[in-house]
Structures are given as structure tokens and as C-alpha cells.
């Protein structure tokens, strides 16, 4: 996965999780999905109609909130001449914070990772995020070919969803020759039939899989040795042959065979990303173990190296749970940083009330700002040309990154001078 992919996926996932946690007091949160070919003025017209419809809402507060949200979406849309290439998603609404009356009007504009096909406007008590979650799940396409000597089936797999492209029957005569036929002649006929069958399957496979621009890999399946014969022969084109990532034994061909492949390959597919993550962390561990001077870890050190432009690859643990809290003394203005887990904020705030300022001694410390450390580092990395990799805890290496290195590590471009 490229650095940009890893980051945009991570950011979108985070945004969706945040949005999923938001709930309106009434039916007043707006979700708007605009396909790329939809004209902005058409969307505006639709929103004017929705604004009119909203005037029928009985609750005064809900009515006001919905109409305000629609106005806000309209303002936001005015910034676009046309929707972006993959379309546009806007979420807007009054989010309650504490007691009634403390709602805050919030608006989020997203560019989806895949093209939006259907225009969608909804006003509900929550945001409609499912299409975006779907896009996240279905990012990668795998090709599946299940084959035996009688039949073959060609399918694609996106997330958990399979799509059958084509089915074939072999036309190969059975193993037992008819009476009166010579054994050699029978064998020749059979070989020619197998060759024809493989060629036919390969022609369609080459044609159909080559059209899939984001084809991540191909999985071959089937009962018996036919799949290996097919793989070893010169049937598939070179590019596709390189993409074969596994050969899986199945009990069936047909759709049931594809289902078997899907079932058996889930771990394998997860393993692909895990493999990438392992390699990245292992590279860091190599630099560290061989004392090349190119390994950097921990919040302070990595931040310093990032600011100096020394970091080539930045490794951040997806599970990094740290808040960067800045406190300031109201008397003398002295500022201090602290890192704490999210769950520790309330206690920290409580303790702050009775703490004295390290400079002037007054108990007048207050929290100036809090930021998620992970977000902060993602932001810093994006401003520079760092290869950022967000690492899960699905591997031993990923757990090690989190537990032994504070969830933050870097591989440097060159040795720092000091
Ligand atoms: Zn002070």
C-alpha cells in the first residue's frame, strides 16, 4: 500500500468513526452524496425544495436546525464549480454537547475514495455513512479462477463480495476411451482438448482481468492437479502470471468453489497488508539493531528528526492512544506540554486545579489545548515529504512498535550530525 493510500484510508476511517459517534437531538442531521456528474445548481434546486419541505416540521427547534443545516450546506456547495472527480459528500447538523441549547452546527466535506454513483439526500438522527464504509472495505480487487478438468469459473472478489464473470465447460472427453479406439490416438485427442480448453479459459482470463485497473492479485483454486497444469503452461499472459498470489485446494468448482476460495483466502488477504507492515517495522528494527544511526523512536526524538527533515519513513501505530495537552499559567503565561492517555484527561484536569505553576508558584494552570498525538504527527508528516505508514497491531511487529517504541518510530534518510 502506498504512503498516500495508507494515510487517506486511515484519515477517512478516523473521520467516519467520529461521525458515527454523533447523534442529533431530533431528525436533523443531513447527509448529502453528490455524484461527479451532477450539476451543482441541480443540487441547489433540490436543497431549496428540501428547505421548503422542512418548514412543515412541527418541532420549532428541529425545524430551525434543519433549515440552518441546509443553508450551511448550500453555502459550502457554492465553493464548488463542479463536484470533484469522484463526487462529494457533505454531512451537516446540530450536534448536542451537554444540555439542550448547547448544540453546535457542524459541517464535514469529504471526497470519497471511490466514485459515487447515486445522488442521495437524507435527514435523520444520525449521519448515513454506510456507502463510505463500503468503499473502505471494498478497496482492493482480487481475481479468482477455479478450474478442474470438467469446468472452470472466473470471478472477482472485492471485500467479501464476489462477482462471477464467466463459466466454462471443458469438452474434454472422459478418462476412459471408447472400445476400438487406440490408446495413443485417445491420448492425443484428450491432450488437444485440454490445450484448447486452457487456451479458451486463458483468453477470457487475460481479457477480463487485464481490464481491472486495480487488480491486486489472482488466486487459483480447484480440486486436483488441473490448476497447476494451467498455471505452469504458457497460457496466462506475463503480467497476470506475476499476480498469482496463491493456489488453493477446493472441493468444488462452480460458484461453490469460488465461495470456498473466498473463505479460505480471507486470512491470506489480510496477510498481504500484514506482510507489508511487518517488512516496514523489520526495516526499522534492522537499523536499530545494526546501530546504523538511522533509527529514531519515541515522541520527542521523532518530532525533532521530523522537524529537521531527516525522516524518510514515519511509522505510527494505529492504536497510539496519546493526547498532547498544552497547559498555560494564567498568571505568568508559562506553557508546558504533557502526554497522557485519552482516559487520563479528567484526572489530569482535576489535578491541575491544585498544582502550582513551576515558574511563578500560583495555582493558576489551565489547559490551553488538547490534540490527538496521532493526528498531530499525521499532520506534520503530510506537510513534509515523509513516507507515512500507519501500522496496525495485527502483527507481532506492530505490537512491538506500540509497546516498546511508544507507537512512534522513524527511519532516517541519513545519520543526524549530533
Ligand atoms: Zn505561572
Amino acid at each position: 500500500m502506498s504512503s498516500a493510500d495508507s494515510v487517506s484510508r486511515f484519515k477517512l476511517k478516523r473521520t467516519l468513526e467520529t461521525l458515527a459517534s454523533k447523534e442529533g437531538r431530533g431528525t436533523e442531521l443531513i447527509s448529502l452524496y453528490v455524484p461527479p456528474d451532477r450539476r451543482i445548481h441541480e443540487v441547489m434546486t433540490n436543497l431549496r425544495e428540501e428547505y421548503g419541505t422542512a418548514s412543515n416540521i412541527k418541532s420549532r427547534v428541529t425545524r430551525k436546525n434543519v433549515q440552518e443545516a441546509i443553508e450551511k450546506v448550500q453555502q459550502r456547495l457554492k465553493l464548488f464549480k463542479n463536484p470533484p472527480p469522484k463526487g462529494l459528500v457533505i454531512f451537516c447538523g446540530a450536534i448536542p454537547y451537554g444540555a439542550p441549547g448547547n448544540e453546535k452546527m457542524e459541517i464535514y466535506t469529504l471526497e470519497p475514495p471511490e466514485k459515487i454513483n447515486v445522488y442521495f439526500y437524507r435527514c435523520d438522527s444520525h449521519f448515513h455513512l454506510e456507502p463510505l464504509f463500503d468503499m473502505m472495505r471494498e478497496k482492493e480487487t482480487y481475481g479468482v479462477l477455479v478450474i478442474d478438468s470438467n469446468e472452470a469459473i472466473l470471478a472477482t472478489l472485492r471485500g467479501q463480495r464476489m462477482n462471477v464473470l464467466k463459466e466454462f465447460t471443458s469438452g474434454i472427453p472422459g478418462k476412459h476411451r471408447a472400445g476400438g479406439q487406440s490408446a495413443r490416438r485417445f491420448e492425443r485427442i484428450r491432450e488437444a482438448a485440454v490445450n484448447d480448453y486452457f487456451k479458451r479459459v486463458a483468453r477470457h482470463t487475460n481479457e477480463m482481468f487485464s481490464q481491472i485497473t486495480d487488480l491486486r492479485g489472482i488466486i487459483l483454486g480447484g480440486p486436483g492437479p488441473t490448476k497447476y497444469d494451467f498455471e505452469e503452461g504458457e497460457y496466462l499472459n506475463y503480467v497476470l502470471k506475476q499476480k498469482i498470489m496463491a493456489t488453493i485446494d477446493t472441493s468444488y468448482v462452480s460458484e461453490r468453489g469460488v465461495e470456498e476460495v473466498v473463505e479460505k483466502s480471507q486470512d491470506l488477504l489480510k496477510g498481504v497488508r500484514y506482510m507489508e507492515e511487518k517488512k516496514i517495522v523489520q526495516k526499522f528494527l534492522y537499523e536499530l539493531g545494526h546501530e546504523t544511526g538511522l533509527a529514531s523512536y519515541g515522541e520527542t526524538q521523532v518530532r525533532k528528526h521530523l522537524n529537521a527533515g531527516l525522516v524518510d519513513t514515519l511509522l505510527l501505530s494505529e492504536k497510539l492512544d496519546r493526547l498532547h495537552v498544552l497547559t498555560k499559567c494564567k498568571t505568568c503565561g508559562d506553557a508546558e506540554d504533557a502526554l497522557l492517555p485519552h482516559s487520563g484527561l479528567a484526572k489530569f484536569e482535576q489535578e491541575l486545579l491544585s498544582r502550582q505553576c513551576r515558574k511563578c508558584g500560583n495555582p493558576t494552570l489551565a489547559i490551553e489545548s488538547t490534540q490527538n498525538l496521532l493526528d498531530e504527527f499525521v499532520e506534520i508528516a503530510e506537510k513534509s515529504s515523509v513516507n507515512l505508514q500507519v501500522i496496525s497491531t495485527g502483527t507481532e511487529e506492530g505490537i512491538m512498535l506500540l509497546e516498546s517504541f511508544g507507537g512512534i518510530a522513524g527511519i532516517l534518510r541519513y545519520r543526524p550530525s549530533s
Side-chain angles (χ1 to χ4, degrees):
M1 200 183 291
S2 75
S3 172
D5 276 355
S6 152
V7 175
S8 61
R9 267 179 86 78
F10 164 74
K11 289 186 95 174
L12 182 59
K13 199 168 136 197
R14 279 293 284 273
T15 309
L16 294 183
E17 279 164 8
T18 312
L19 289 172
S21 71
K22 293 179 189 291
E23 216 170 301
R25 225 178 268 294
T27 306
E28 54 194 54
L29 303 188
I30 288 172
S31 307
L32 178 70
Y33 286 73
V34 184
D37 53 2
R38 184 63 63 110
R39 301 244 169 91
I40 294 289
H41 72 85
E42 289 171 0
V43 183
M44 289 295 218
T45 306
N46 176 250
L47 289 176
R48 269 196 298 278
E49 288 164 15
E50 294 293 347
Y51 189 94
T53 310
S55 62
N56 300 322
I57 297 171
K58 280 197 191 108
S59 152
R60 189 190 57 84
V61 178
T62 306
R63 183 173 65 237
K64 179 179 146 285
N65 283 343
V66 170
Q67 291 190 327
E68 254 181 60
I70 293 175
E71 280 173 350
K72 197 146 184 153
V73 173
Q74 287 172 322
Q75 284 165 16
R76 183 59 60 94
L77 277 171
K78 279 184 195 149
L79 302 175
F80 293 85
K81 213 172 148 247
N82 294 300
K86 287 176 181 166
L88 184 65
V89 187
I90 301 179
F91 300 106
C92 184
I95 307 297
Y97 288 92
N102 289 329
E103 290 81 28
K104 230 177 82 194
M105 190 57 75
E106 296 181 4
I107 184 160
Y108 301 85
T109 313
L110 301 177
E111 286 188 32
E114 283 175 23
K115 199 178 140 223
I116 293 170
N117 296 315
V118 184
Y119 180 80
F120 177 88
Y121 170 93
R122 198 62 46 93
C123 188
D124 212 326
S125 59
H126 59 272
F127 292 125
H128 282 256
L129 306 163
E130 209 40 52
L132 288 171
F133 274 121
D134 268 352
M135 288 177 191
M136 300 265 307
R137 272 196 287 276
E138 296 178 1
K139 200 150 188 282
E140 285 151 351
T141 307
Y142 294 87
V144 178
L145 172 64
V146 184
I147 186 167
D148 75 358
S149 59
N150 293 317
E151 54 182 316
I153 183 166
L154 203 56
T156 55
L157 173 64
R158 278 166 87 76
Q160 299 275 15
R161 207 171 66 204
M162 64 169 210
N163 180 24
V164 173
L165 301 176
K166 200 169 172 58
E167 291 180 81
F168 310 83
T169 46
S170 74
I172 299 171
K175 286 205 160 68
H176 304 286
R177 63 191 155 110
Q181 208 173 18
S182 87
R184 263 189 68 188
R185 184 175 147 70
F186 175 74
E187 214 32 63
R188 259 204 332 272
I189 290 171
R190 198 162 190 281
E191 264 168 34
V194 169
N195 190 39
D196 280 351
Y197 168 52
F198 280 1
K199 272 189 175 161
R200 187 153 48 91
V201 172
R203 197 178 68 233
H204 288 284
T205 310
N206 287 334
E207 202 179 288
M208 288 173 151
F209 283 177
S210 299
Q211 283 169 11
I212 304 170
T213 48
D214 61 343
L215 187 72
R216 194 76 201 280
I218 295 172
I219 305 166
L220 282 184
T226 309
K227 55 184 178 295
Y228 299 113
D229 295 342
F230 179 79
E231 185 183 359
E232 280 153 24
E234 296 299 313
Y235 298 102
L236 281 184
N237 75 40
Y238 175 77
V239 179
L240 293 183
K241 226 173 165 175
Q242 296 295 307
K243 289 197 172 179
I244 296 177
M245 48 193 284
T247 317
I248 290 178
D249 274 313
T250 62
S251 315
Y252 301 93
V253 196
S254 71
E255 270 193 49
R256 278 186 78 182
V258 179
E259 279 164 16
E260 264 187 281
V261 168
V262 172
E263 235 167 72
K264 290 184 175 171
S265 58
Q266 284 311 308
D267 288 343
L268 180 89
L269 301 185
K270 215 189 279 163
V272 173
R273 173 60 192 161
Y274 283 168
M275 213 36 132
E276 291 171 346
E277 293 183 358
K278 269 165 117 69
K279 271 192 203 143
I280 298 160
V281 181
Q282 277 165 2
K283 171 103 192 328
F284 161 75
L285 293 173
Y286 174 89
E287 304 295 350
L288 188 72
H290 289 76
E291 295 181 19
T292 57
L294 298 181
S296 168
Y297 64 90
E299 189 261 340
T300 319
Q301 206 183 43
V302 175
R303 188 191 291 271
K304 192 179 92 189
H305 289 144
L306 270 173
N307 289 335
L310 284 173
V311 179
D312 175 70
T313 306
L314 176 64
L315 292 71
L316 293 176
S317 172
E318 196 180 61
K319 292 275 163 63
L320 178 65
D321 170 39
R322 279 286 175 279
L323 272 181
H324 183 184
V325 181
L326 184 69
T327 59
K328 214 168 173 183
C329 172
K330 282 180 189 157
T331 311
C332 72
D334 183 50
E336 203 177 343
D337 294 298
L339 289 180
L340 39 119
H342 283 75
S343 58
L345 186 62
K347 192 167 163 243
F348 180 84
E349 255 184 309
Q350 194 60 40
E351 285 170 358
L352 207 59
L353 294 172
S354 54
R355 226 174 77 196
Q356 291 169 335
C357 170
R358 59 179 178 177
K359 217 170 162 191
C360 71
N362 285 307
T364 47
L365 295 168
I367 290 178
E368 177 84 358
S369 66
T370 58
Q371 194 179 10
N372 186 322
L373 192 64
L374 193 50
D375 292 342
E376 190 183 344
F377 269 82
V378 168
E379 255 172 51
I380 301 174
E382 278 186 318
K383 280 183 202 139
S384 47
S385 57
V386 174
N387 170 16
L388 171 56
Q389 295 286 343
V390 179
I391 309 283
S392 75
T393 47
T395 66
E396 233 171 273
E397 284 82 353
I399 293 170
M400 202 188 266
L401 172 70
L402 179 65
E403 291 179 352
S404 308
F405 301 101
I408 303 177
I411 301 168
L412 306 183
R413 290 175 216 280
Y414 47 86
R415 278 176 93 109
S417 46
S418 61

